[in-house]
Amino acid sequence: EAKKYFEEKFNISTKIINYYQIEHEVHLITEKEFEVWLDIDQPYLTQLHALKISLSKLDIYNTKLKYIDLRVTNGQKVIFKKL
């Protein structure tokens, strides 16, 4: 569900989904070659909403990124690393 929601809301395709059971994480690897890290113990809607809000400061469409970490509790923070 998170993959579909991400693709619909951000208009970026996901190529691969990596599931890390021990870490309780899902990493969406996008067509733009950056990863979106999600915590499977938190609602993905909350995490992706935090990304939506951050778009005014982070241009995910034109910035070369390595990853976007949305695992911070309650969607209060978006951590990212540029290439």
Side-chain angles (χ1 to χ4, degrees):
E1 291 180 24
K3 174 189 180 294
K4 181 179 177 184
Y5 184 84
F6 174 80
E7 291 177 343
E8 288 175 357
K9 293 297 178 187
F10 298 98
N11 200 29
I12 297 174
S13 295
T14 302
K15 298 189 322 182
I16 301 169
I17 301 173
N18 291 329
Y19 172 65
Y20 300 96
Q21 185 175 2
I22 294 171
E23 295 85 357
H24 294 244
E25 294 176 12
V26 170
H27 294 188
L28 306 177
I29 302 173
T30 70
E31 66 184 344
K32 294 190 168 288
E33 303 299 329
F34 67 82
E35 297 183 17
V36 178
W37 299 353
L38 300 168
D39 180 343
I40 62 172
D41 294 328
Q42 302 294 326
Y44 71 87
L45 292 174
T46 302
Q47 296 172 77
L48 292 173
H49 181 69
L51 178 57
K52 189 78 166 168
I53 291 171
S54 73
L55 290 181
S56 63
K57 296 179 182 176
L58 174 61
D59 181 359
I60 65 172
Y61 303 99
N62 298 306
T63 303
K64 298 283 187 186
L65 297 166
K66 181 170 184 169
Y67 65 80
I68 300 172
D69 185 350
L70 301 174
R71 299 171 299 165
V72 176
T73 304
N74 297 327
Q76 297 176 353
K77 195 177 217 180
V78 173
I79 299 168
F80 63 92
K81 181 172 183 177
K82 293 181 181 179
L83 283 178

